[in-house]
Amino acid sequence: MSIEILPNAVPRGRRQPANVAFTRAELDQILNVYGFFVASGDWKDYAIDMLKDVAVFSIFRRASEAPLYRIEKNPKLARKQGAYAVISMSGQVLKRGQDLPQVLRIFDRQKLKLAD
């Protein structure tokens, strides 16, 4: 009796890792900030990518451009640098930390500029 193993089969007992995703509470916090800037006319579009090791919320001025900002959730960095990061268009990390509301405060400066 021979056993044939399919090339793409996952051995029993091993599950493929699920993609990283934002929770409902995290999305609410991000969309609150996003909604403020949409209402002011600065941001027009967004995209959400859920990959195996990172979840990304990309913010666009226009749909045809590169994202202005990326809000990333990377659980592997949670104990080191913090799971959340705001990254600019040039790839510079603007803010990183454990607490999403604290990381999103980077946009408070821009809110103050819009109020002037």
Side-chain angles (χ1 to χ4, degrees):
M1 173 185 227
S2 67
I3 299 175
E4 184 178 336
I5 298 176
L6 301 175
N8 292 333
V10 177
R12 288 185 181 203
R14 289 191 180 181
R15 294 176 43 193
Q16 290 192 344
N19 290 351
V20 176
F22 290 107
T23 64
R24 179 129 178 100
E26 292 167 341
L27 276 176
D28 284 344
Q29 293 168 357
I30 293 169
L31 289 172
N32 281 338
V33 173
Y34 176 78
F36 178 86
F37 287 97
V38 167
S40 68
D42 285 352
W43 297 348
K44 304 280 189 227
D45 201 8
Y46 71 90
I48 300 174
D49 297 308
M50 292 177 273
L51 308 171
K52 288 186 179 183
D53 53 347
V54 67
V56 181
F57 187 96
S58 302
I59 300 166
F60 298 88
R61 182 167 291 156
R62 290 180 198 86
S64 61
E65 294 181 349
L68 289 174
Y69 300 102
R70 293 188 331 259
I71 301 168
E72 293 188 357
K73 176 183 178 181
N74 188 342
K76 290 183 181 179
L77 297 177
R79 292 183 182 229
K80 297 177 184 178
Q81 303 167 342
Y84 304 102
V86 174
I87 302 169
S88 71
M89 184 186 320
S90 63
Q92 179 184 10
V93 176
L94 301 176
K95 185 112 174 171
R96 183 183 298 275
Q98 302 283 353
D99 190 34
L100 182 60
Q102 183 69 27
V103 172
L104 293 176
R105 286 191 184 152
I106 190 76
F107 297 113
D108 287 350
R109 293 182 208 153
Q110 292 178 350
K111 286 181 184 179
L112 292 175
K113 289 179 187 176
L114 291 174
D116 290 340

